[in-house]
Amino acid sequence: MPVIGVAKFLIIWQENRQVSYEYGRYGNPTTVVLEEKISALEGAESTVIMASGMCASVVLFMALVPAGGHLVTTTDCYRKTRIFIETFLPKMGITTTVIDPADVGALESALEQHNVSLFFTESPTNPFLRCVDIKLVSELCHKKGTLLCIDGTFATPLNQKALALGADLILHSLTKYMGGHHDVLGGCISGSIKVVSQIRTLHHVLGGTLNPNAAYLFIRGMKTLHLRVQQQNSTGMRMAKLLEAHPKVKRVYYPGLPSHPEHELAKRQMTGFGGVVSFEIDGDLHTTIKFIDSLKIPYIAASFGGCESIVDQPAILSYWDLPQSERAKYKIYDNLVRFSFGVEDFEDLKADVLQALEAI
Ligand code: PLP
């Protein structure tokens, strides 16, 4: 590069003609490599990474929904996202319509009745793995000038290409499959340069920067993403079938099963269904606790998507502070289990789950 003066370089950078690392909060060569890798996987013009998935959703809402604006979201969703929407957005006069993931009519009427800035939904959702018809809802949103952001954490960019299906933005909690080792937190949003720049500008003010060491761990984790996801798709599918056929399991939620309400849609818009299988034990809170305590392989924890299997009983983990009647509003019953299958040998996992079911 020809030697130029500092002042001249600043002008070039201000005009966005050259990336600058003039202050750590705005980026660093390692974080830019990670952003470029994610953009390549998503087919996006631009990606912004942040300190966690929650940080990404919060900055997204604050950047794209104006004070007094309207947001549409779906019933089944990560609890902390719902908490932010319900408790913080109203402080900025932002109202929200909450629809069932399959209720396209409810989306149409919300778009008719309100000036909707953003439709934000997970697909698949947490914890029931419901799916939203991304192509259809993006067409409906775009007719009204509404942006569509998909939280694709459960899908990964390998199992679902939300931008190619029509979404404006795709968000991930990198903490899960992308990192893949349950040892680092991060989040990202990808889309057009125009919209991502709007989010990035606010992110630089709010300061939820991902440190370069964490970015390095994601870059390293992503080298095996395709192998891990392949294994997890396969184990998830096989375990979902096994669980559904088991007399001690009442119900299984997995988009790869014909019993799933959006199975046909999931087959159209996904190439695999991931390693997370949610299911209900045929029993009460204590039967389910006994099942979980009898398992030998998985960790009992709140995350998912990594190499090690993880099991979560939402009634006593992520929803423990709500009374049973409140939990029931979200269909979080005492017997619900969310099982994230890792990359362990399938036969070992199968034997472990079967012996734990025998124990109850
Ligand atoms: N989106 C989904 C679907 C999630 O399940 C989670 C966390 O579990 C998040 C976002 C938040 O991500 P993080 O834990 O990285 O803040």
Side-chain angles (χ1 to χ4, degrees):
M1 194 168 103
V3 178
I4 55 167
V6 173
K8 181 146 190 206
F9 173 78
L10 283 176
I11 300 285
I12 292 172
W13 165 62
Q14 296 286 15
E15 289 174 351
N16 283 331
R17 284 189 277 140
Q18 168 119 20
V19 176
S20 166
Y21 307 115
E22 103 286 7
Y23 191 58
R25 183 166 9 96
Y26 305 149
N28 149 297
T30 313
T31 61
V32 170
V33 167
L34 175 59
E35 289 180 343
E36 285 172 355
K37 281 191 188 298
I38 298 168
S39 289
L41 277 178
E42 290 293 5
E45 276 181 0
S46 186
T47 294
V48 56
I49 53 167
M50 301 188 200
S52 69
M54 265 321 291
C55 180
S57 326
V58 165
V59 179
L60 171 93
F61 296 138
M62 293 181 75
L64 300 184
V65 188
H70 197 84
L71 169 81
V72 177
T73 190
T74 40
T75 44
D76 188 34
C77 115
Y78 176 53
R79 181 154 179 236
K80 292 290 191 287
T81 309
R82 182 190 294 126
I83 289 175
F84 183 77
I85 291 171
E86 282 177 357
T87 62
F88 190 82
L89 292 184
K91 291 185 188 171
M92 302 197 298
I94 295 171
T95 50
T96 304
T97 301
V98 185
I99 63 167
D100 180 273
D103 195 348
V104 175
L107 173 65
E108 284 179 303
S109 57
L111 291 169
E112 259 335 300
Q113 283 164 26
H114 303 275
N115 185 7
V116 182
S117 307
L118 178 69
F119 176 27
F120 174 83
T121 177
E122 296 163 12
S123 191
T125 61
N126 185 358
F128 294 109
L129 298 132
R130 299 287 308 278
C131 299
V132 174
D133 189 334
I134 300 173
K135 187 166 180 293
L136 178 61
V137 300
S138 68
E139 285 163 8
L140 296 174
C141 286
H142 293 160
K143 275 191 206 146
K144 294 286 181 183
T146 300
L147 291 172
L148 170 67
C149 179
I150 300 294
D151 177 339
T153 303
F154 274 78
T156 81
L158 303 187
N159 281 334
Q160 178 174 275
K161 299 280 186 213
L163 298 182
L165 287 163
D168 300 282
L169 295 161
I170 170 81
L171 180 149
H172 293 282
S173 163
L174 295 172
T175 315
K176 313 295 177 344
Y177 290 97
M178 303 280 263
H181 294 73
H182 300 307
D183 57 2
V184 59
L185 283 150
C188 67
I189 305 168
S190 309
S192 67
I193 292 177
K194 183 167 173 269
V195 185
V196 172
S197 297
Q198 211 179 322
I199 300 163
R200 197 189 301 276
T201 302
L202 180 63
H203 164 58
H204 288 173
V205 174
L206 294 178
T209 311
L210 187 81
N211 80 64
N213 290 329
Y216 165 72
L217 285 178
F218 285 119
I219 292 167
R220 193 162 74 167
M222 280 168 63
K223 291 178 192 193
T224 52
L225 181 67
H226 64 300
L227 298 173
R228 290 185 280 107
V229 167
Q230 219 174 334
Q231 173 81 0
Q232 287 169 294
N233 284 344
S234 161
T235 299
M237 190 70 237
R238 294 169 80 186
M239 289 304 305
K241 284 184 184 160
L242 186 133
L243 287 161
E244 194 169 52
H246 200 284
K248 290 188 178 166
V249 175
K250 208 166 140 194
R251 183 164 179 188
V252 180
Y253 302 89
Y254 189 71
L257 292 177
S259 58
H260 184 280
E262 285 90 43
H263 176 60
E264 290 306 319
L265 165 66
K267 279 199 296 185
R268 279 204 307 278
Q269 70 182 19
M270 299 178 78
T271 50
F273 310 105
V276 180
V277 182
S278 294
F279 53 97
E280 287 162 357
I281 295 289
D282 193 7
D284 62 8
L285 183 80
H286 295 285
T287 323
T288 310
I289 289 174
K290 190 163 183 209
F291 164 70
I292 287 182
D293 279 342
S294 304
L295 290 162
K296 303 222 169 7
I297 294 179
Y299 288 90
I300 301 174
S303 199
F304 60 87
C307 289
E308 299 96 347
S309 289
I310 277 190
V311 68
D312 171 6
Q313 186 176 359
I316 58 164
L317 203 56
S318 29
Y319 283 78
W320 70 273
D321 56 318
L322 293 184
Q324 198 182 39
S325 57
E326 281 293 307
R327 295 201 297 265
K329 283 188 195 158
Y330 305 112
K331 299 193 166 40
I332 305 289
Y333 300 121
D334 292 348
N335 58 350
L336 181 67
V337 176
R338 193 189 68 189
F339 208 129
S340 168
F341 291 102
V343 298
E344 302 92 343
D345 181 74
F346 172 76
E347 292 302 330
D348 289 347
L349 286 168
K350 177 180 164 185
D352 193 28
V353 168
L354 289 178
Q355 67 77 25
L357 286 170
E358 270 319 298
I360 61 176

